[in-house]
């Protein structure tokens, strides 16, 4: 059993397709198929079963998907602890799109000062999937949100984020000088993006963190695209309730509402799997 064979198999297991795994790894589908066949021969186990044009993991394949990911994570730790070199080590960072895009760049810059040869892979996932990938060793680090307190050596809290109501500078409300009340804005158009892009919020909040159970908005447009949300808000067609860093990065105007006592907050964490590279973690 070779590490490269396990790596190829794990990518097939993750994507559910030999062709998609080949595209992601930059190799031919036949190279993937041959590697998986060699792995099956060495383990004397059937790992992948064909179902029509699709494939699925056998029971033994599902078991190897977990054990193989742990093997790769442990291998990274051993290489780092013995060779003190980050050459050819891939570091996978996952998380919801907005927290990932906000916090991954400074994190990578900090790590690269100490480990310039590390190769980084960033993947947008839901908050739940980010935690799952840490648990099953398929990610090295995760940047995600949690309403509950996460403590211990596998987690660092790095920020607490408030949500704010934002509008384009061309929006009529952006030019209103008097203090707005909640009832002044509930008839306005709002746009919101699904939570897999933004991260976890309290279950009492709406999809974007707004308290619709207390202050019901009448016109809400939903989208799964951050680019769509940006275009609509920047064109002045709708308001958006966003993490403060996101609205500020778009140079939107924050709209203050005088009689709104509700605030949505997110706790931002960096987490690692239990085999996470110790020296890399210490550099964070």
């Amino acid at each position: 059993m070779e590490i490269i064979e396990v790596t190829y198999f794990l990518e097939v297991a993750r994507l559910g397709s030999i062709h998609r795994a080949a595209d992601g790894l930059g190799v031919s589908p036949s190279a993937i198929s041959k590697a998986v066949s060699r792995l099956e021969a060495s383990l004397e186990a059937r790992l992948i079963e064909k179902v029509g044009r699709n494939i699925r993991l056998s029971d033994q394949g599902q078991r190897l998907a977990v054990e193989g990911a742990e093997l790769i994570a442990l291998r990274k730790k051993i290489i780092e602890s013995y060779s003190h070199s980050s050459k050819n080590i891939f570091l996978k960072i996952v998380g919801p799109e907005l927290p990932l895009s906000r916090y991954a760049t400074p994190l990578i810059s900090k790590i690269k000062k100490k480990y310039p040869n590390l190769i980084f892979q960033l993947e947008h996932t839901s908050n739940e999937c980010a935690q799952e990938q840490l648990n099953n060793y398929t990610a090295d680090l995760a940047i995600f949100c949690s309403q509950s307190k996460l403590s211990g050596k596998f987690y660092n809290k790095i920020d607490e984020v408030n949500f704010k109501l934002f509008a384009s500078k061309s929006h009529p409300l952006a030019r209103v000088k008097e203090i707005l009340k909640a009832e002044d804005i509930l008839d306005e158009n709002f746009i919101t993006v699904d939570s897999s892009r933004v991260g976890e919020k309290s279950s009492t909040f709406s999809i974007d963190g707004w308290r619709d159970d207390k202050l019901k908005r009448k016109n809400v447009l939903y989208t799964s695209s951050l680019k769509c949300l940006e275009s609509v808000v920047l064109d002045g067609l709708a308001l958006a309730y966003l993490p403060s860093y996101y609205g500020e990065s778009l140079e939107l105007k924050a709209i203050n509402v005088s009689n709104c006592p509700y605030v949505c907050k997110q706790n931002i964490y960096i987490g690692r799997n239990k085999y996470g590279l110790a020296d890399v973690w210490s550099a964070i």
Side-chain angles (χ1 to χ4, degrees):
M1 181 178 70
E2 301 291 337
I3 288 294
I4 191 65
E5 295 167 356
V6 177
T7 301
Y8 285 3
F9 166 75
L10 290 175
E11 194 69 1
V12 173
R14 185 177 75 88
L15 297 175
S17 165
I18 289 176
H19 285 275
R20 286 198 294 270
D23 289 340
L25 292 168
V27 299
S28 68
S30 63
I32 299 284
S33 295
K34 289 176 182 178
V36 172
S37 295
R38 290 195 301 270
L39 184 59
E40 289 180 324
S42 64
L43 295 176
E44 298 182 358
R46 191 69 174 170
L47 303 175
I48 293 176
E49 300 170 344
K50 289 187 176 182
V51 182
R53 294 184 178 181
N54 300 315
I55 64 170
R56 70 182 178 193
L57 299 183
S58 66
D59 291 343
Q60 289 173 307
Q62 292 176 17
R63 175 183 168 188
L64 184 62
V66 175
E67 295 174 339
E70 185 170 3
L71 172 65
I72 298 298
L74 180 57
R75 175 178 176 269
K76 288 182 182 179
K77 180 178 180 180
I78 291 172
I79 290 173
E80 184 215 27
S81 62
Y82 280 88
S83 70
H84 303 288
S85 170
S86 60
K87 189 175 182 180
N88 296 325
I89 294 181
F90 284 80
L91 195 72
K92 184 178 179 182
I93 308 175
V94 300
E97 186 171 359
L98 277 183
L100 187 66
S101 62
R102 169 65 178 84
Y103 297 99
T105 300
L107 175 64
I108 290 172
S109 297
K110 185 182 293 186
I111 294 173
K112 273 192 142 322
K113 288 180 180 178
K114 190 172 182 180
Y115 300 97
N117 295 320
L118 272 177
I119 302 170
F120 291 88
Q121 176 186 358
L122 302 179
E123 181 179 312
H124 153 237
T125 70
S126 67
N127 203 75
E128 295 75 14
C129 186
Q131 182 63 67
E132 182 181 327
Q133 289 202 40
L134 290 185
N135 293 344
N136 64 21
Y137 317 107
T138 53
D140 300 289
L141 298 174
I143 298 173
F144 58 99
C145 317
S146 177
Q147 294 301 314
S148 57
K149 183 178 180 180
L150 301 176
S151 58
K153 61 183 179 180
F154 300 137
Y155 299 98
N156 278 345
K157 182 179 176 181
I158 58 172
D159 205 357
E160 183 175 291
V161 177
N162 287 331
F163 280 55
K164 293 181 180 180
L165 181 62
F166 286 100
S168 165
K169 294 174 183 176
S170 65
H171 192 282
L173 289 187
R175 298 190 291 269
V176 175
K177 295 182 178 180
E178 61 266 23
I179 297 176
L180 294 171
K181 295 182 179 180
E183 52 266 30
D184 297 328
I185 63 172
L186 298 181
D187 286 337
E188 296 290 335
N189 294 321
F190 284 76
I191 186 169
T192 183
V193 71
D194 67 70
S195 60
S196 69
R197 306 286 178 178
V198 181
E200 177 184 311
K201 296 174 291 296
S202 170
S203 59
T204 59
F205 295 108
S206 298
I207 192 170
D208 60 352
W210 187 269
R211 288 296 300 267
D212 276 302
D213 60 326
K214 302 293 184 180
L215 298 169
K216 181 66 176 177
R217 298 169 294 180
K218 294 183 179 179
N219 306 300
V220 182
L221 169 66
Y222 298 93
T223 179
S224 61
S225 166
L226 288 175
K227 282 299 180 183
C228 179
L229 180 144
E230 291 175 10
S231 296
V232 169
V233 177
L234 288 170
D235 287 344
L237 300 177
L239 306 173
Y241 194 55
L242 305 169
S244 56
Y245 63 82
Y246 184 38
E248 290 162 4
S249 72
L250 298 174
E251 298 184 352
L252 299 172
K253 179 177 175 58
I255 305 296
N256 295 316
V257 180
S258 63
N259 62 337
C260 180
Y262 310 108
V263 178
C264 178
K265 294 185 177 182
Q266 286 181 326
N267 296 318
I268 309 296
Y269 287 88
I270 296 179
R272 67 179 175 94
N273 68 53
K274 72 176 184 180
Y275 294 123
L277 306 182
D279 284 351
V280 169
W281 186 246
S282 67
I284 297 174

